[in-house]
Amino acid sequence: MAETLKRVLSRGGAAWSREENTPAAGPPLLLLGAPGSGKTTMLFAAALEAAGEGQGPVLFLTRRPLQSLPRGTGTALDPMRLQKIRFQYPPSTRELFWLLCSAHEAPGPAPSLLLLDGLEEYLAEDPEPQKAAYLTALLLDTAAHFSHRLGLGRDCGLMVALQTQEEADSGDILHLALLQRYFPAQCWLQPDAPGPGEHGLRACLEPGGLGPRTEWWVTFRSDGEMMIAPWPTQAGDPSSGKRSSSAGQP
């Protein structure tokens, strides 16, 4: 999953070839960030990326419908891609458990990517570590089942977004430690000093042993447009570097 997210964040660099850059899904990825840090936008961008690879539909699970489609999410809002993203809205942990347990009965082609937004909201219903472990196991088993249905050489990726707090309590710390055991790939979205009228963050991608850590400077303008540039390797103001918009890129 790290490769899919890396393609999203690397839109400002060299062009990607879908035929040459569609590796196996890789280890499951945990997307971490504070409230309003752009986790849903990143998940949606990953969904659009995967939907354009011709590997199968994308299953996007979230507690409530998106109020609007995020802008500047790495590729144009191609109607054909949007049609391949299946949104489902389990309103409670119980409903999410039921959906995952019944995934093997779902008709149609198996998803190539399983996304879950707002994991912390489901964990908050029952903060016991056993429930978090059970939900994690269900997510991994569901992705493994979809991989089996996709056939030899094709895997279903798994990406989950978790909200973090500056002052986490012992329960939050325990949940994070548990999740990091099963999600070796992680991407941290860390707020940074934005420019006037902008919301900026630092995206740090740890691919889970499949490559070096990579970082980007991500800015959300007042109109919601997402701008991405490699994180500067030398000291200085990151906002002074050349930025490139991800909107409309192939």
Side-chain angles (χ1 to χ4, degrees), residues 88-112:
Q88 295 197 35
Y89 310 103
S92 66
T93 305
R94 181 178 179 180
E95 291 294 324
L96 179 59
F97 283 166
W98 179 87
L99 188 153
L100 294 173
C101 289
S102 60
H104 65 284
E105 301 175 352
S112 63

Side-chain angles (χ1 to χ4, degrees), residues 33-52:
S37 60
K39 297 182 297 298
T40 299
T41 298
M42 289 296 178
L43 283 184
F44 187 69
L48 285 172
E49 181 72 25

Side-chain angles (χ1 to χ4, degrees), residues 19-219:
E19 293 182 359
E20 297 177 1
N21 293 281
T22 54
L29 184 140
L30 188 62
L31 185 62
L32 300 149
S37 60
K39 297 182 297 298
T40 299
T41 298
M42 289 296 178
L43 283 184
F44 187 69
L48 285 172
E49 181 72 25
E53 292 174 353
Q55 300 294 311
V58 175
L59 181 56
F60 196 121
L61 306 179
T62 181
R63 199 178 183 98
R64 60 189 63 86
L66 301 181
Q67 296 301 311
S68 61
L69 296 180
R71 293 189 58 192
T73 46
T75 186
L77 295 180
D78 183 349
M80 296 300 294
R81 295 191 184 207
L82 291 173
Q83 290 177 10
K84 294 183 66 176
I85 303 175
R86 303 200 309 246
F87 290 95
Q88 295 197 35
Y89 310 103
S92 66
T93 305
R94 181 178 179 180
E95 291 294 324
L96 179 59
F97 283 166
W98 179 87
L99 188 153
L100 294 173
C101 289
S102 60
H104 65 284
E105 301 175 352
S112 63
L113 176 59
L114 172 60
L115 301 167
L116 174 64
D117 194 16
L119 174 60
E120 73 285 344
E121 295 188 41
Y122 294 105
L123 297 180
E125 293 184 21
D126 189 340
E128 290 297 322
Q130 294 87 343
K131 288 293 185 181
Y134 180 56
L135 178 53
T136 300
L138 275 180
L139 288 166
L140 294 171
D141 287 348
T142 302
H145 169 74
F146 289 150
S147 295
H148 178 73
R149 286 178 54 189
L150 286 170
L152 186 64
R154 299 175 63 190
D155 295 322
C156 174
L158 174 62
M159 189 182 301
V160 174
L162 176 72
Q163 180 175 293
T164 57
Q165 303 291 341
E166 289 188 8
E167 298 181 0
D169 58 28
S170 58
D172 294 333
I173 295 173
L174 187 59
H175 283 157
L176 180 57
L178 184 150
L179 290 166
Q180 288 176 322
R181 289 177 55 191
Y182 296 100
F183 289 81
Q186 294 159 32
C187 183
W188 291 82
L189 303 179
Q190 304 169 336
D192 211 287
E198 297 178 337
H199 164 61
L201 59 90
R202 183 177 187 171
C204 307
L205 179 62
E206 296 276 3
L210 298 181
R213 171 179 175 145
T214 314
E215 300 183 351
W216 294 266
W217 169 250
V218 182
T219 303

